[in-house]
């Protein structure tokens, strides 16, 4: 998994690509999120269009990000999941928990 | 056609399992999404066996057999670790998972939704998970 991050207008923009597998990538992503939360960031937009493979541990990472931000009265939105990831979000009914946008612009606008 | 892979119970071997299944199925299935779903199901069961049934004990092993038939594929994954009782499994609600932060059980939820048939058989010391998936297009 690779990721890019930038913070614009107090919104953490994460772009994740490759395989999202909790055992491998979870601790790093959660640490990154904790650092940003400690700086006062509570809103996060995650572009997962480049995630090729995700299993239940990867789903667990997304849930951890969601609960950490919501505990701070914040929110996380997902951007443009692939067909594979979209299918998993539907199977697990996470599509009812996460707000999903097609584009980064729509996701950012939702926070304003 | 039958394929076989035996791995010791270490989480690092899950990558090998995913690559093995992907490579073998590519000869029979041309839809990446369909392959990905089956890889995921095998990945989830193997992760459960390695982590929960064998406690990542590298002296133990799991054996994966793949039977490709005309209309679908059957996976048989066996080990000699702690027996899993499907009757005791309660599928978590996602609301519950988010509220309690207890994420256990999501993997098997995915497996049962993806595969057409999932059963766990216990014979003497050997536990086998048998999963079948019909191909979408033949």
């Amino acid at each position: 998994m690779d990721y890019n991050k930038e913070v614009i207008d107090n919104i953490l923009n994460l772009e994740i690509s490759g395989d999202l597998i909790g055992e491998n990538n979870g601790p790093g992503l959660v640490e990154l999120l904790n650092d940003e939360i400690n700086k006062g960031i509570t809103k996060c937009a995650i572009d997962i269009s480049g995630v090729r493979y995700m299993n239940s541990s990867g789903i667990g990472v997304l849930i951890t990000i969601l609960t950490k931000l919501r505990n701070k009265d914040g929110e996380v939105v997902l951007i443009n999941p692939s067909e594979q990831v979209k299918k998993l979000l539907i199977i697990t009914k996470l599509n009812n928990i996460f707000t999903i946008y097609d584009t980064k612009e729509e996701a950012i606008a939702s926070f304003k | 056609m039958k394929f076989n892979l035996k791995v010791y119970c270490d989480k690092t071997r899950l990558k090998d399992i995913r690559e093995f299944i992907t490579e073998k199925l590519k000869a029979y299935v041309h839809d990446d999404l369909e392959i990905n779903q089956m890889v995921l199901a095998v990945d989830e069961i193997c992760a459960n066996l390695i982590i929960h049934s064998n406690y990542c004990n590298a002296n133990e092993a799991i054996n994966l057999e793949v039977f490709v038939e005309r209309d679908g594929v059957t996976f048989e994954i066996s080990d000699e670790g702690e027996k899993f009782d499907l009757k005791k499994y309660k599928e978590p609600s996602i609301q519950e998972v988010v509220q309690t932060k207890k994420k256990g059980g999501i993997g098997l939820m995915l497996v049962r939704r993806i595969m057409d048939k999932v059963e766990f058989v216990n014979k003497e010391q050997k536990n086998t998970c048998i999963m079948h998936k019909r191909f979408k297009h033949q």
Side-chain angles (χ1 to χ4, degrees), chain A residues 21 23 52-56 59-60 63-64 66-67 71 83-84 87-88 91-94 97, chain B residues 11 18 33 36-37 39-40 43-44 51 94-95 97-98 101 103 106-107 109-110 113-114 136:
Chain A
I21 294 169
E23 288 104 33
R52 185 176 68 86
Y53 181 82
M54 179 170 79
N55 62 12
S56 65
I59 289 172
I63 293 173
T64 300
L66 177 90
T67 52
N71 284 344
E83 282 306 308
Q84 154 79 1
K87 198 155 186 167
L88 298 189
I91 287 175
T92 53
K93 298 183 181 157
L94 275 171
I97 308 271
Chain B
K11 282 192 277 186
R18 290 192 291 269
L33 183 61
N36 239 329
Q37 299 271 294
V39 170
L40 176 65
D43 186 20
E44 295 293 349
I51 298 165
I94 209 68
Q95 297 283 359
V97 170
V98 171
K101 299 178 197 165
K103 303 184 194 90
I106 297 178
M109 176 203 288
L110 294 173
R113 297 279 202 284
I114 290 168
K136 278 183 191 160

Side-chain angles (χ1 to χ4, degrees), chain B residues 52-108:
Chain B
H52 303 299
S53 298
N54 292 282
Y55 307 100
C56 300
N57 178 355
N59 294 319
E60 300 293 336
I62 57 174
N63 190 46
L64 167 62
E65 289 181 305
V66 183
F67 301 90
V68 182
E69 297 126 22
R70 193 181 54 82
D71 61 341
V73 57
T74 301
F75 302 96
E76 292 193 11
I77 308 163
S78 52
D79 76 324
E80 293 184 358
E82 213 164 274
K83 181 186 162 191
F84 174 73
D85 190 352
L86 188 58
K87 283 184 202 137
K88 288 182 183 162
Y89 168 74
K90 184 181 169 283
E91 191 170 290
S93 87
I94 209 68
Q95 297 283 359
E96 213 173 80
V97 170
V98 171
Q99 277 159 17
T100 61
K101 299 178 197 165
K102 287 180 185 163
K103 303 184 194 90
I106 297 178
L108 195 52

Side-chain angles (χ1 to χ4, degrees), chain B residues 1-7 17 20-21 24-25 38 42 45-46 49 61-69 72-79 115 126-133:
Chain B
M1 192 66 78
K2 181 186 166 183
F3 305 102
N4 178 253
L5 178 72
K6 189 172 184 175
V7 300
I17 293 168
F20 173 78
I21 299 294
K24 297 304 176 198
L25 289 180
M38 288 188 266
V42 174
I45 293 295
C46 291
L49 294 182
I62 57 174
N63 190 46
L64 167 62
E65 289 181 305
V66 183
F67 301 90
V68 182
E69 297 126 22
V73 57
T74 301
F75 302 96
E76 292 193 11
I77 308 163
S78 52
D79 76 324
M115 303 306 281
K126 191 176 167 188
N127 314 306
T128 307
C129 172
I130 305 166
M131 304 191 286
H132 182 75
K133 179 78 178 169

Side-chain angles (χ1 to χ4, degrees), chain A residues 53-101:
Chain A
Y53 181 82
M54 179 170 79
N55 62 12
S56 65
S57 66
I59 289 172
V61 174
L62 293 181
I63 293 173
T64 300
I65 293 173
L66 177 90
T67 52
K68 277 185 176 285
L69 289 167
R70 286 196 181 165
N71 284 344
K72 296 284 179 187
D73 291 324
E75 187 56 85
V76 58
V77 298
L78 302 178
I79 302 166
N80 196 19
S82 66
E83 282 306 308
Q84 154 79 1
V85 172
K86 207 182 281 175
K87 198 155 186 167
L88 298 189
L89 295 173
I90 293 168
I91 287 175
T92 53
K93 298 183 181 157
L94 275 171
N95 58 328
N96 298 325
I97 308 271
F98 284 95
T99 309
I100 301 167
Y101 292 99

